[in-house]
């Protein structure tokens, strides 16, 4: 017997079917924005308090008995629509809002191109998101929706934003002190750059000073300014040992106006300020300070009396009287010495911190020495430190120097490569790498960032199929009876993986997935030689695998390597099964641990297929270097 639930008046969980119009949608969005501004959206959705407020206020304003499930579904629907709308307008120029059409004002060709890129855009051709509603939805979903703005595919042939196009590298030793810059380090003769004539100036260098000659940055201006600053600071620090001297006496020892000049000017005011007057003796004491003496002598003669007496003068404007009153107040309180003490204390602290500091990286065992020792030692040391054999390391070094602009500087090209591989291969922090290589944290950061740019340029040339790759059956399939001849038309495997990402707290929400930590979702395609032929990194951790997959297929500029007719890639159940992409049977055991657990062998044609499919597709997992357990990362 089927049990039915009686409707209880006021029970929001049994609300009627929600029917939305523009007015209801606008009211709902305004209420949601109020809760967002009140801090009731800690993650991608409102918290329980936020939903409680929205439900109560929505029912009170609209007299609609819509409960939390209906409103939450509307939230999800609006978020999806706004994400699509934002994607539709991305990189679009020359279009505006058309009130009569209630959508963007664009040509038919523009719409045809967009709909071809993503068929989901077709609905916006009849009705878009109005500007007022779009502003509200921006406040609701801005910063919490995965947009893929930072995603990049090497196959596109275009470098990510922020990566220099040339082979320029930063001044990687700029952050090191003179004690640990290793400038006198001998660079092996076999590491001389093969193409020094093609060096280009660094963009970052150009912002640090004047550019001379053919665009190359001269370091003389930076050194002279640093020496000048050090000289002034030294002079200021001397004043701390001589309290009677002021700042002006140290930095500007020769005053333009002498005490006798000031006394002559004071005698001219004898009628207004007699010699035995209290104000007269105050002026004599004040003239001992050059700053105050110069202020007095730079005033007009008819204003000098006002400088002391501060009485109203009808001939002066109100602004001039206010300025004079300010000067008199400063002179009477005599604050100059206190300000000098504060300035000199700050300068002295700066000098002790940055000029007379004790070197941190003061070990005689430099990073270059350690790299030489590893590369000349046992093969396992290179594998453990840099995750590759010595011959591969030297081959990679030569390739980066020859083709991708890796150059020597204060740090040798070998040490740059070793440092970047040390961080990437061992997940080391900046501080640990700085200690290992005896470099400043700034130098390590500059080198690592620049090496990532070089690796990105290298990825454009390497992460792609080789010529004729799809024409022959891979040996991995041809010589294994488990796969031959059933998977003879398979060309590779597709999967995604989550990599931990270091994201600013204000931007973390769209990157935090089910594990509770910020990650980026990376989709990749590999062949059976365990070589990547396509990669699509940079997606937020909340983005679903199928969404990234469809984006890669639809965007022609990404140049996804589609399999030839009759060929296909292996995908798991998280991807749509379509022509050219073969997935497993759904609802059956699939992942290898499911078959190994309890020694339960595959039975039935579907399970046998899934077992072979999972075993063959595991090549992408080995390529990632991440083993799965029960289908989870």
């Amino acid at each position: 017997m089927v049990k039915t639930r009686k409707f209880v008046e006021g029970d929001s969980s049994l609300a009627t079917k929600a029917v939305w119009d523009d007015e209801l949608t606008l009211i709902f969005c305004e209420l949601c924005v109020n809760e967002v501004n009140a801090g009731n959206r800690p993650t991608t959705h409102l918290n329980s308090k936020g939903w409680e407020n929205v439900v109560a206020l929505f029912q009170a304003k609209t007299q609609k008995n819509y409960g939390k499930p209906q409103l939450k579904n509307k939230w999800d629907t609006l978020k999806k629509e706004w994400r699509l709308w934002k994607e539709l307008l991305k990189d679009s120029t020359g279009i505006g809002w058309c009130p009569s059409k209630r959508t963007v004002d664009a040509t038919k060709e523009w719409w045809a191109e967009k709909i071809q890129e993503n068929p989901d855009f077709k609905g916006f051709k009849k009705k878009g998101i109005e500007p007022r509603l779009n502003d509200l939805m921006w406040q609701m979903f801005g910063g919490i929706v995965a947009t893929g703005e930072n995603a990049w595919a090497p196959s596109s042939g275009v470098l990510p934003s922020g990566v220099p196009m040339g082979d320029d590298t930063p001044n990687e030793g700029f952050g090191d002190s003179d004690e640990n810059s290793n400038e006198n380090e001998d660079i092996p003769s076999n590491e001389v750059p093969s193409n020094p004539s093609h060096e280009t100036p660094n963009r970052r260098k150009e912002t640090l000073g004047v550019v001379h000659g053919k665009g190359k940055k001269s370091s003389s201006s930076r050194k002279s300014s640093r020496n000048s600053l050090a000289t002034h600071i030294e002079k200021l620090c001397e004043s701390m040992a001589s309290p009677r001297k002021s700042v002006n006496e140290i930095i500007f020892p020769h005053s333009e106006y002498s005490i006798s000049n000031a006394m002559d000017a004071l005698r001219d005011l004898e009628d207004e300020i007699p010699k035995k007057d209290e104000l007269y003796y105050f002026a004599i004491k004040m003239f001992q300070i050059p700053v105050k003496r110069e202020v007095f002598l730079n005033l007009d003669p008819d204003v000098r009396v006002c400088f002391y007496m501060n009485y109203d003068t009808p001939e002066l404007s109100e602004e001039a009287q206010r300025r004079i009153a300010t000067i008199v107040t400063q002179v009477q309180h005599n604050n100059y010495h206190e300000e000098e003490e504060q300035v000199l204390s700050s300068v002295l602290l700066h000098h002790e911190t940055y000029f007379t500091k004790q070197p941190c990286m003061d070990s005689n065992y430099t990073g270059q020495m350690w790299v030489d020792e590893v590369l000349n030692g046992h093969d396992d040391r290179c594998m453990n430190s840099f995750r590759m054999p010595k011959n591969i390391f030297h081959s990679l070094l030569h390739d980066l120097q020859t083709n991708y602009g890796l150059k020597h500087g204060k740090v040798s090209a070998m040490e740059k490569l070793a440092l970047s591989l040390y961080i990437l291969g061992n997940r080391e922090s900046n501080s640990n790498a700085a200690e290992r290589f005896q470099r400043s944290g700034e130098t390590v950061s500059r080198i690592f960032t620049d090496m990532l740019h070089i690796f990105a340029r290298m990825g454009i040339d390497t992460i792609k199929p080789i010529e004729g790759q799809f024409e022959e059956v891979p040996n991995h399939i041809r010589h294994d009876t488990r796969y031959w001849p059933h998977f003879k038309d398979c060309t590779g495997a597709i999967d995604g993986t989550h990599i931990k990402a270091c994201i600013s707290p204000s931007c973390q929400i769209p990157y935090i997935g089910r594990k509770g930590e910020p990650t980026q979702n990376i989709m990749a395609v590999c062949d059976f030689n365990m070589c990547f032929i396509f990669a699509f990194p940079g997606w937020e951790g909340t983005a679903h695998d199928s969404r990234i997959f469809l984006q890669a297929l639809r965007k022609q500029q990404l140049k996804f390597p589609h399999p030839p007719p009759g060929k296909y890639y292996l995908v798991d159940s998280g991807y749509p099964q379509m022509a050219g992409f073969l997935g497993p049977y759904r609802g059956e055991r699939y992942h290898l641990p499911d078959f190994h657990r309890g020694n339960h062998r595959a039975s039935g044609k579907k399970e046998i297929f899934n077992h072979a499919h999972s075993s063959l597709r595991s090549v992408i997992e080995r390529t990632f270097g991440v083993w799965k357990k029960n289908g989870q990362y």
Side-chain angles (χ1 to χ4, degrees):
M1 181 177 180
V2 179
K3 294 183 179 181
T4 58
R5 190 176 175 188
K6 295 182 179 180
F7 176 79
V8 180
E9 187 175 357
D11 186 0
S12 61
S13 63
L14 291 177
T16 57
K17 182 179 179 180
V19 179
W20 295 90
D21 56 22
D22 293 343
E23 183 179 357
L24 291 179
T25 301
L26 194 62
I27 293 174
F28 172 70
C29 290
E30 290 175 347
L31 295 176
C32 289
V33 168
N34 292 336
E35 296 305 315
V36 170
N37 295 334
N40 291 328
R41 190 206 61 186
T43 56
T44 57
H45 287 78
L46 299 177
N47 55 20
S48 57
K49 181 180 179 181
W51 282 120
E52 182 180 349
N53 295 338
V54 170
V55 170
L57 293 174
F58 184 84
Q59 292 181 354
K61 282 191 173 184
T62 63
Q63 305 302 317
K64 299 287 186 180
N65 192 30
Y66 294 173
K68 179 180 176 180
Q70 285 86 351
L71 298 183
K72 190 175 182 299
N73 288 339
K74 185 61 176 177
W75 172 284
D76 294 335
T77 301
L78 290 175
K79 182 166 69 172
K80 182 179 179 181
E81 290 179 358
W82 183 77
R83 175 178 58 79
L84 282 172
W85 179 255
K86 194 167 180 288
E87 184 180 337
L88 172 68
L89 301 181
K90 182 179 179 181
D91 301 329
S92 296
T93 58
I95 60 175
W97 177 261
C98 181
S100 59
K101 297 180 181 178
R102 301 186 66 184
T103 188
V104 294
D105 188 9
T107 62
K108 294 181 180 180
E109 293 77 10
W110 184 88
W111 277 110
E113 181 181 351
K114 289 293 183 179
I115 294 174
Q116 183 181 6
E117 178 181 325
N118 189 346
D120 295 335
F121 293 153
K122 187 175 182 180
F124 292 125
K125 190 174 182 180
K126 296 181 179 179
K127 182 181 179 181
I129 299 179
E130 296 183 359
R132 182 183 177 188
L133 183 59
N134 183 54
D135 292 340
L136 293 173
M137 293 169 71
W138 182 277
Q139 298 179 63
M140 293 167 60
F141 310 124
I144 67 170
V145 176
T147 60
E149 292 180 345
N150 298 319
W152 170 70
S155 57
S156 63
V158 179
L159 291 172
S161 58
V163 179
M165 294 297 297
D167 59 351
D168 48 323
T169 57
N171 186 9
E172 67 282 338
F174 183 68
D176 287 332
S177 64
D178 294 336
E179 291 81 8
N180 65 327
S181 62
N182 298 340
E183 289 188 55
N184 298 325
E185 239 174 46
D186 292 332
I187 299 176
S189 58
N190 60 349
E191 288 201 22
V192 177
S194 58
N195 54 347
S197 60
H198 296 287
E199 294 182 359
T200 57
N202 187 334
R203 297 175 188 172
R204 188 180 297 149
K205 289 181 181 179
E206 293 177 1
T207 63
L208 297 177
V210 182
V211 179
H212 299 277
K214 298 181 180 180
K216 294 186 178 181
K217 171 68 180 66
S218 173
S219 61
S220 59
S221 60
R222 181 167 62 244
K223 291 181 180 179
S224 60
S225 62
R226 180 165 46 182
N227 295 337
S228 176
L229 177 62
T231 302
H232 284 297
I233 290 180
E234 291 288 353
K235 290 182 178 180
L236 288 172
C237 290
E238 291 177 7
S239 68
M240 298 302 293
S242 305
R244 295 183 180 180
K245 293 184 178 181
S246 65
V247 176
N248 292 76
E249 288 177 292
I250 296 172
I251 299 182
F252 309 105
H254 302 290
S255 176
E256 183 179 353
Y257 302 100
S258 63
I259 295 179
S260 60
N261 298 138
M263 292 301 299
D264 291 340
L266 183 60
R267 293 188 191 98
D268 294 340
L269 301 174
E270 185 175 358
D271 295 338
E272 292 84 358
I273 306 177
K275 290 184 179 182
K276 295 184 179 181
D277 190 83
E278 180 181 356
L279 196 58
Y280 184 86
Y281 294 107
F282 172 78
I284 294 175
K285 184 179 180 180
M286 185 196 70
F287 288 158
Q288 298 175 11
I289 303 174
V291 172
K292 300 175 183 178
R293 188 166 65 239
E294 292 182 10
V295 170
F296 173 73
L297 292 176
N298 277 292
L299 293 174
D300 294 334
D302 57 344
V303 180
R304 290 172 182 167
V305 177
C306 303
F307 181 69
Y308 293 101
M309 310 271 314
N310 195 24
Y311 57 78
D312 295 335
T313 304
E315 291 78 12
L316 297 178
S317 64
E318 294 183 3
E319 181 180 358
Q321 293 182 35
R322 283 196 299 269
R323 294 178 60 187
I324 292 174
T326 302
I327 296 175
V328 171
T329 302
Q330 292 177 349
V331 172
Q332 289 176 346
H333 287 84
N334 199 19
N335 319 348
Y336 281 102
H337 287 299
E338 296 180 4
E339 294 176 358
E340 291 169 4
E341 292 290 335
Q342 296 176 0
V343 171
L344 293 174
S345 298
S346 301
V347 170
L348 181 61
L349 178 62
H350 180 88
H351 184 268
E352 292 177 348
T353 303
Y354 296 102
F355 284 82
T356 62
K357 64 180 181 179
Q358 179 182 358
C360 177
M361 303 302 172
D362 55 357
S363 174
N364 293 327
Y365 189 62
T366 64
Q368 183 65 50
M369 293 179 182
W370 178 72
V371 173
D372 292 338
E373 181 182 294
V374 170
L375 294 178
N376 293 324
H378 196 277
D379 291 345
D380 290 348
R381 292 194 64 186
C382 186
M383 182 64 73
N384 295 334
S385 300
F386 309 134
R387 301 305 182 195
M388 60 180 60
K390 290 189 291 186
N391 62 324
I392 301 297
F393 181 93
H394 288 292
S395 177
L396 177 61
L397 176 62
H398 180 267
D399 192 20
L400 295 180
Q401 287 183 273
T402 305
N403 302 316
Y404 300 104
L406 178 58
K407 301 184 301 233
H408 295 288
K410 287 187 177 181
V411 184
S412 68
M414 177 183 290
E415 186 178 347
K416 291 180 185 179
L417 177 59
L419 186 148
S420 60
L421 295 178
Y422 178 77
I423 295 176
L424 292 172
N426 300 282
R427 300 182 182 180
E428 288 292 351
S429 64
N430 182 285
S431 57
N432 287 345
E435 176 63 30
R436 172 72 275 179
F437 288 84
Q438 289 296 295
R439 298 285 180 183
S440 69
E442 181 184 1
T443 296
V444 170
S445 178
R446 287 174 180 268
I447 292 175
F448 184 66
T449 301
D450 199 57
M451 289 303 299
L452 291 181
H453 295 168
I454 291 176
F455 290 146
R457 292 194 286 270
M458 183 180 182
I460 293 177
D461 296 334
T462 56
I463 304 180
K464 62 181 180 181
I466 61 177
E467 186 177 355
Q469 181 163 353
F470 297 141
E471 298 176 0
E472 298 181 358
V473 178
N475 293 330
H476 184 74
I477 296 176
R478 183 183 296 276
H479 301 303
D480 196 323
T481 56
R482 293 176 300 173
Y483 313 130
W484 178 264
H486 317 292
F487 293 97
K488 61 183 179 64
D489 294 323
C490 182
T491 60
I494 299 178
D495 201 2
T497 188
H498 288 257
I499 304 296
K500 291 183 180 180
C502 183
I503 306 296
S504 170
S506 60
C507 305
Q508 279 187 3
I509 292 180
Y511 289 87
I512 299 177
R514 61 175 183 263
K515 296 292 186 179
E517 58 186 6
T519 62
Q520 61 167 311
N521 194 351
I522 300 175
M523 171 195 158
V525 183
C526 77
D527 58 20
F528 293 104
N529 293 323
M530 298 181 65
C531 294
F532 288 116
I533 60 176
F534 179 81
F536 201 11
W539 278 87
E540 297 88 340
T542 56
H544 195 271
D545 290 348
S546 60
R547 179 185 169 194
I548 302 174
F549 171 75
L550 293 175
Q551 189 85 317
L553 297 186
R554 290 168 176 170
K555 283 197 170 184
Q556 297 181 0
Q557 58 267 35
L558 299 182
K559 301 177 183 177
F560 180 84
H562 291 272
K567 303 285 186 176
Y568 56 85
Y569 293 117
L570 297 181
V571 297
D572 64 11
S573 56
Y575 296 92
Q577 189 161 196
M578 51 197 295
F581 307 93
L582 179 64
Y585 284 103
R586 299 178 184 269
E588 304 288 341
R589 285 189 298 171
Y590 175 67
H591 297 286
L592 294 180
D594 296 336
F595 296 102
H596 298 161
R597 190 180 299 110
N599 199 22
H600 293 160
R601 300 184 62 182
S603 61
K605 65 178 184 178
K606 292 184 179 181
E607 282 195 354
I608 293 175
F609 174 83
N610 279 6
H611 183 270
H613 186 286
S614 179
S615 177
L616 184 58
R617 201 186 63 85
S618 65
V619 66
I620 184 68
E621 300 169 8
R622 298 195 301 274
T623 308
F624 274 136
V626 179
W627 290 96
K628 294 183 179 180
K629 294 183 178 180
N630 297 328
Q632 297 183 357
Y633 298 99

